[in-house]
Amino acid sequence: MEPGLPPGERIRLYRRRMGLTQEQCAQLKGCTVSAWRKWESGERQVASFSDWIEIARILRVRDLYKLTGLPVGELPEEPTEHETVPAIRAAMVSFHPTLADPPEVKRLDAAVETAWDVWQERRPFVQVGTMLPDLITEVRASIPLVDGAERASLLRTASMLYFLTRAFTERVGAQDVSLLAADRAMAAAIKADDLDYRAASAWNLGMILAEQGHTEVVLELATDAAAELEQTLAGGAPARMSIFGALHLLRAMQFARLGDEHGVAQALEIADRVARSVGERNDFRTAFGPTNVGIYRVWLAVELSRPGEAIRAAQQVEVAGVPSVERRFSFYVELARAYSIRGEDVAAVHMLLRAERESAEELRFNVDVRAMVRELLRRENSLTRVELRPLADRMGVLTR
């Protein structure tokens, strides 16, 4: 095999030697066909060492160098667990959480809202990760001690706390805790007997399941939740409309991963119509509104292998006023991906630098971004080297 052959082309050649289709490989890997196709085309890089091992197993390649064309030092490493995760996991699974003082439902609700504000507006990973264990322990210990309206209120607070726990642990790669938190959020919403929180919990659960590649499951979940909400939209309550729109954005994501452009267009049209109706909102911390729909347009275009369309769509989006650092960060990362696919590496690096200014810590933890930076390093030139090398060094990405 030619020494300079890109990793994606190597995957394609070994797959063909095995007589396997992309669909068969995707099924064996447990990913979408779209993801496998993007690995082969080079639109996305294999982001983790464990993924490379699994691909090698499927293609029966014993020598990883022959499959990747990369020395071991340049292969993506498995991210280390964030320092705050063990305490969060322990708080989530503690058999008998205890409470030193009587439960204070209003104070707990305010504390969870404060934690959310810190996470969305400033994104300090260590600070938020340190806040979560005590909040989880106190909420878990308080629920059995209250009843009536107080209990329903605390269950809603618990649901939002588990939303935050899902979001944080997903970002630092602790998917076991993230999935547990999403399930707990749904359980709390069901116990509170609150349709809005239940629908929002479906969206929240769908986000981590989508991250794990369960595309069809997420599509069914989001579709069912949106259908139940739709029967109650006559009053036009903004919060309910907002989560209805967010669920359709989640549906559009799954349609894109399945390559269903018609489904994408339909779901996006509904989300856009709802966003124009309710305006910019942040119900259930989804940051739903016209700007977020615009950000999704960029992501969806990239996912559908239309980087030029993504770049044009981005010109219509102004993210400065979005309350969520994550949304602004994701916008710049997707633009970087679009430019990278087109081979416009200078622009890609500039977008990654903008993402770094939003959240340098998230950039370091994002395995897809790390894979993108490795690919940019692989084809670096005199125009990108000056900014790309220091960025890769700050991220801890090994360079040649």
Side-chain angles (χ1 to χ4, degrees), residues 81-121:
E81 186 162 85
H82 193 268
E83 61 191 89
T84 63
V85 167
I88 296 171
R89 185 183 289 111
M92 288 289 291
V93 301
S94 172
F95 183 70
H96 187 61
T98 57
L99 198 63
D101 301 305
E104 300 178 54
V105 175
K106 289 184 179 179
R107 182 185 59 77
L108 276 173
D109 184 62
V112 171
E113 287 299 302
T114 297
W116 260 114
D117 288 341
V118 171
W119 175 245
Q120 281 202 322
E121 295 170 12

Side-chain angles (χ1 to χ4, degrees), residues 23 31 37 42 54 56 77 86 95-96 98 102 107 134 153 175 186 197 228 239 250 294 326 353 364 391 395:
E23 290 76 9
C31 66
R37 285 174 180 158
E54 187 68 6
E77 75 279 12
F95 183 70
H96 187 61
T98 57
R107 182 185 59 77
D134 287 344
S153 176
Q175 294 202 357
M186 177 67 81
Y197 276 81
E228 188 166 346
L250 181 58
E326 184 274 333
L353 290 172
R364 291 196 297 274
L391 173 64
M395 292 175 61

Side-chain angles (χ1 to χ4, degrees), residues 34 52 64 87 125 130 154 204 260 274 282 343 347 349 366 373 379 392:
S34 173
W52 271 121
L64 208 56
F125 278 52
T130 303
L154 186 54
N204 183 61
D260 183 347
V274 173
N282 195 20
V349 172
N366 190 304
V373 169
R379 62 191 199 218

Side-chain angles (χ1 to χ4, degrees), residues 139-155:
V139 166
R140 289 187 63 206
S142 296
I143 289 173
L145 303 179
V146 297
D147 54 21
E150 266 200 331
R151 180 178 174 83
S153 176
L154 186 54
L155 285 167

Side-chain angles (χ1 to χ4, degrees), residues 36 63 138:
W36 189 281
D63 186 342
E138 191 168 359

